[in-house]
Amino acid sequence: MIYQSPLIKSTLIFAQSAGEAANETAEQTREILAEVTTWKVTQALILIGCAYIFVQIIDKLVNFISEKVHREWRLVIKQSQPFWRMLIVSLVAVILMNLFLNLSENNLLAITGTVAVALGFAFKDYVSSVIAGLIGLFEVPYRVGDRVTISNHYGEIVSYGLRAIHLRTPDDNIVVIPHNKLWTEAISNANTGELEALVVTQFYFDHDLDIELVTKILYRVAYTSKYTQLKLPIVVIVEEKPWGSLLKLKSYPMDARDEFIYQTDLIKRAKAILGKYGIAYPKFPVW
């Protein structure tokens, strides 16, 4: 008689059970596929096509309404876009399951096992992104209209899809970033659902500048800009560098999408006033 250790016996029993389960799942899957007809496939394709068109209509409608309402409601309406997309996708998924599976207990068990194996090997990254996107709807690390930095890409989120977000950079490029970056990347969010986002404008001067005068000028420039949100704080920070003095003007535009227009306005108006006072910039390159 050949001796087998308990561990080997347990392993053999587990392997046998796994094999039986796999065979049973395969048999149930074959039964389901046998019920698939040309008419059902046609219905499914029509349904998917209608869902795609409906999603496009929803996207355009949300964007259109968000640009027509009062500025304070723009982001609220845009941020509803992922919800409507997820609702449509969920409804289509339920209808398709009912069409092909009849949602019976046996059919659900069979398809669950088949899908689990397929997703585990072939679509793990996609599923990871989808799950991260669903979690993102509740944790809200970002949403449509937010200005974020992810993987060295900075810009405004213009679309929140099932798998990824679309980020428009300051150069007007669209960067597609999958949601699974939530697991591995730090995400910097400048406005977290608000209309305003902090803008830091830097000015460089020689060491011998009149710090009080320059500070007053920068405050004046910020307070008189037509883009400034006066309800939020305006601060001037001074830093000493080997080559001179660095002054940072921290202020908020009324709309985060005006970030670069606002910064340009501050620099142009500040330089015009500084030039009248003959305030010099550093004589050596800034490293």
Side-chain angles (χ1 to χ4, degrees):
M1 179 180 294
I2 300 175
Y3 173 76
Q4 289 183 337
S5 69
L7 178 59
I8 294 176
K9 289 181 179 180
S10 300
T11 303
L12 291 174
I13 293 173
F14 176 78
Q16 184 179 1
S17 300
E20 291 175 355
N23 291 333
E24 184 178 352
T25 299
E27 181 62 30
Q28 291 173 337
T29 302
R30 282 193 291 270
E31 292 176 3
I32 294 172
L33 293 176
E35 297 177 4
V36 175
T37 62
T38 303
W39 172 234
K40 285 186 178 182
V41 173
T42 303
Q43 285 181 291
L45 292 175
I46 293 173
L47 180 63
I48 292 172
C50 291
Y52 176 80
I53 294 172
F54 198 59
V55 166
Q56 298 302 312
I57 293 174
I58 287 291
D59 286 350
K60 293 183 182 300
L61 187 62
V62 167
N63 289 328
F64 175 79
I65 295 176
S66 68
E67 297 298 335
K68 296 297 181 181
V69 298
H70 192 271
R71 181 175 59 87
E72 294 181 355
W73 290 97
R74 176 170 58 84
L75 290 184
V76 175
I77 293 175
K78 279 195 172 185
Q79 289 158 9
S80 69
Q81 184 188 58
F83 169 78
W84 296 116
R85 279 188 168 194
M86 199 64 63
L87 180 63
I88 294 170
V89 171
S90 300
L91 288 175
V92 170
V94 171
I95 294 173
L96 289 176
M97 289 176 66
N98 190 47
L99 178 65
F100 288 102
L101 309 177
N102 297 321
L103 295 181
S104 67
E105 182 178 348
N106 290 335
N107 288 342
L108 282 177
L109 279 174
I111 199 66
T112 299
T114 304
V115 170
V117 173
L119 294 182
F121 290 100
F123 302 104
K124 60 178 181 179
D125 290 335
Y126 186 89
V127 172
S128 176
S129 292
V130 171
I131 293 173
L134 292 172
I135 292 175
L137 290 175
F138 297 96
E139 292 190 355
V140 199
Y142 47 65
R143 63 199 94 187
V144 176
D146 283 357
R147 306 185 74 82
V148 300
T149 301
I150 307 175
S151 300
N152 298 322
H153 296 292
Y154 173 74
E156 178 186 357
I157 297 177
V158 295
S159 176
Y160 190 115
L162 184 66
R163 185 192 69 87
I165 59 172
H166 289 71
L167 192 76
R168 177 177 286 121
T169 68
D171 296 327
D172 205 27
N173 295 324
I174 297 296
V175 181
V176 180
I177 302 177
H179 292 301
N180 63 8
K181 292 293 183 182
L182 282 173
W183 312 135
T184 58
E185 300 285 340
I187 298 172
S188 174
N189 195 322
N191 57 320
T192 58
E194 302 295 332
L195 276 173
E196 304 89 359
L198 179 66
V199 171
V200 180
T201 310
Q202 298 183 347
F203 298 89
Y204 308 93
F205 302 98
D206 280 337
H207 282 300
D208 58 354
L209 83 160
D210 185 339
I211 201 76
E212 292 296 330
L213 175 60
V214 174
T215 301
K216 289 179 181 179
I217 290 173
L218 295 182
Y219 273 115
R220 176 185 172 188
V221 167
Y223 276 111
T224 56
S225 174
K226 64 180 180 180
Y227 298 101
T228 302
Q229 174 55 271
L230 298 176
K231 295 179 181 179
L232 295 173
I234 297 173
V235 179
V236 175
I237 304 295
V238 181
E239 294 183 12
E240 280 297 286
K241 302 290 184 180
W243 44 261
S245 299
L246 169 63
L247 274 70
K248 297 180 180 179
L249 174 58
K250 297 184 175 183
S251 53
Y252 294 81
M254 289 183 287
D255 195 327
R257 63 166 52 171
D258 295 329
E259 173 185 358
F260 299 104
I261 298 175
Y262 177 51
Q263 195 170 56
T264 300
D265 177 68
L266 293 177
I267 293 173
K268 287 173 60 178
R269 294 168 60 249
K271 292 192 73 169
I273 299 174
L274 293 169
K276 293 179 180 179
Y277 286 92
I279 298 173
Y281 280 76
K283 297 180 177 65
F284 299 99
V286 178
W287 301 102

